[in-house]
Amino acid sequence: ITCGYGIESANADAPFLTREENGWIAYGCLAARELNVELSQVCVSGIAVSGGLHNRVFPGYHPMEEAYQYTDQYYDSMAENEPERWDFAAHPSDVVLINLGTNDSNPMRFSPGLENALAEEEYFLGRYRAFIEQVRRLNGPDTMIFCTLGTMDYYLYNDIEKVVRAY
């Protein structure tokens, strides 16, 4: 959706390969070019707002709520460098579009039983709200924030809408 996961793969069922990812022809870049706006992205294929109640994230990954404030937390982690904070004041954004939630549905889908899935969903609601608050705090009061859910899954759409309305 954002990073271009599998966009250049000849086989839709093939496992993930970075060389088949091309963000330049993914939705965000296409839209930015069409609208003639400068684009800056924070994206990682498979990223979620949080790791769920049991912090289930891919090895080496950090959830977006931890990674958002840094320039490249993933590289810095692998290189064992201290993460560098992004200077939001030096790089103000008119608009921030949050396109998260697709991967956050996995802890619910794979939870053993409805009660656990509901607990994961409630946890997501709190983490999503906290992430919106973080985006607001880091970007300031004048940045417009839009929240959406990608085209691949709509499982959490109503939940995201509920959080945004409450916020």
Side-chain angles (χ1 to χ4, degrees):
I1 300 168
T2 309
C3 300
Y5 173 90
I7 205 164
E8 294 186 339
S9 176
N11 178 359
D13 297 322
F16 173 73
L17 297 171
T18 303
R19 70 175 178 255
E20 296 175 348
E21 188 173 68
N22 184 347
W24 181 248
I25 56 177
Y27 293 121
C29 284
L30 291 173
R33 287 195 302 277
E34 191 67 27
L35 296 169
N36 197 32
V37 297
E38 182 179 340
L39 176 70
S40 176
Q41 302 192 125
V42 179
C43 66
V44 176
S45 288
I47 199 166
V49 173
S50 78
L53 277 171
H54 304 289
N55 198 27
R56 295 182 182 133
V57 293
F58 294 118
Y61 272 40
H62 302 276
M64 185 59 81
E65 64 184 352
E66 293 176 16
Y68 182 72
Q69 63 189 314
Y70 298 105
T71 59
D72 195 343
Q73 187 184 36
Y74 299 98
Y75 172 79
D76 288 335
S77 291
M78 289 185 288
E80 298 181 4
N81 296 331
E82 185 68 30
E84 178 186 355
R85 290 190 183 272
W86 178 254
D87 188 346
F88 289 88
H91 306 281
S93 294
D94 295 322
V95 174
V96 171
L97 181 107
I98 300 172
N99 184 14
L100 290 167
T102 298
N103 299 306
D104 288 281
S105 66
N106 292 334
M108 289 141 224
R109 287 194 174 135
F110 302 117
S111 284
L114 181 60
E115 187 174 307
N116 291 329
L118 292 174
E120 288 285 0
E121 196 167 330
E122 282 300 313
Y123 184 78
F124 168 77
L125 292 172
R127 300 315 318 144
Y128 195 89
R129 167 126 187 177
F131 183 65
I132 294 172
E133 291 169 352
Q134 179 189 129
V135 169
R136 171 60 64 219
R137 184 177 67 255
L138 293 170
N139 287 280
D142 298 327
T143 299
M144 290 184 285
I145 300 173
F146 294 88
C147 300
T148 186
L149 185 61
T151 59
M152 297 177 65
D153 187 344
Y154 56 86
Y155 182 84
L156 291 169
Y157 178 81
N158 293 333
D159 294 302
I160 290 171
E161 192 174 53
K162 186 164 103 178
V163 170
V164 170
R165 280 200 176 119
Y167 180 77

